[in-house]
Amino acid sequence: MLVYIGILLIAVSFAVIVFYLVRILHSVNGAVNSLEHSVDQLEGQMEEITGGSKHLVKETSHIVDDIHHKLHSTSGLVQTLQHVGGLLDHANRTINRSADHFSSHANGQSKQIVKLVKWGNAAFRIYKEKNKRKEG
């Protein structure tokens, strides 16, 4: 009879262990299901992010191509402006040389004009003196 009681205790203990194992496995199953749901949501979000990133990369590529095209098309304008600047600089130097030449030439002429005016004044005085003597 002790043997039957021992077997009964072993059977009850085994039933309790099985009961707790079932509860633990049921909890693990719930956690795995929750994890599976979370992974599915994460996968959906990653697909959205990937799609958005692909679109962003494509748009960025278009913008870079557009900027490259615009820079390439304006390089001719920049070169033209450089040539215009060079022409204006050359014209400015030519005008400055002409002005310097005119100024130095005018300075030489002004000395002659001053001499001419002095001689003219002297001649006018002599003429006045002669007229005074003739009148008087």
Side-chain angles (χ1 to χ4, degrees):
M1 172 137 131
L2 277 168
V3 174
Y4 291 120
I5 293 179
I7 292 177
L8 180 66
L9 282 177
I10 291 175
V12 171
S13 298
F14 184 73
V16 169
I17 290 174
V18 169
F19 176 74
Y20 280 109
L21 279 176
V22 168
R23 283 189 65 187
I24 289 173
L25 290 176
H26 185 67
S27 295
V28 169
N29 186 31
V32 168
N33 286 338
S34 176
L35 182 61
E36 180 184 8
H37 180 70
S38 297
V39 168
D40 287 342
Q41 285 180 338
L42 181 62
E43 184 180 356
Q45 290 174 351
M46 289 302 293
E47 286 176 4
E48 288 177 14
I49 290 171
T50 303
S53 296
K54 285 179 183 178
H55 179 70
L56 182 63
V57 167
K58 190 182 273 187
E59 286 296 318
T60 303
S61 176
H62 288 303
I63 290 171
V64 167
D65 289 343
D66 186 44
I67 289 172
H68 178 72
H69 175 70
K70 286 178 181 176
L71 285 175
H72 182 69
S73 64
T74 58
S75 65
L77 176 64
V78 170
Q79 288 176 350
T80 302
L81 290 175
Q82 285 176 338
H83 291 305
V84 168
L87 289 173
L88 289 175
D89 185 48
H90 179 70
N92 192 22
R93 280 189 268 129
T94 303
I95 289 170
N96 283 339
R97 278 193 302 245
S98 297
D100 290 343
H101 178 71
F102 178 75
S103 176
S104 66
H105 185 67
N107 282 339
Q109 293 294 330
S110 66
K111 289 178 184 177
Q112 290 178 355
I113 291 172
V114 168
K115 285 182 185 177
L116 182 64
V117 168
K118 284 182 181 178
W119 281 105
N121 280 339
F124 185 68
R125 285 184 192 154
I126 292 173
Y127 175 75
K128 267 176 119 179
E129 287 289 324
K130 281 188 178 184
N131 278 344
K132 275 186 180 178
R133 287 185 191 167
K134 281 185 184 179
E135 288 180 11

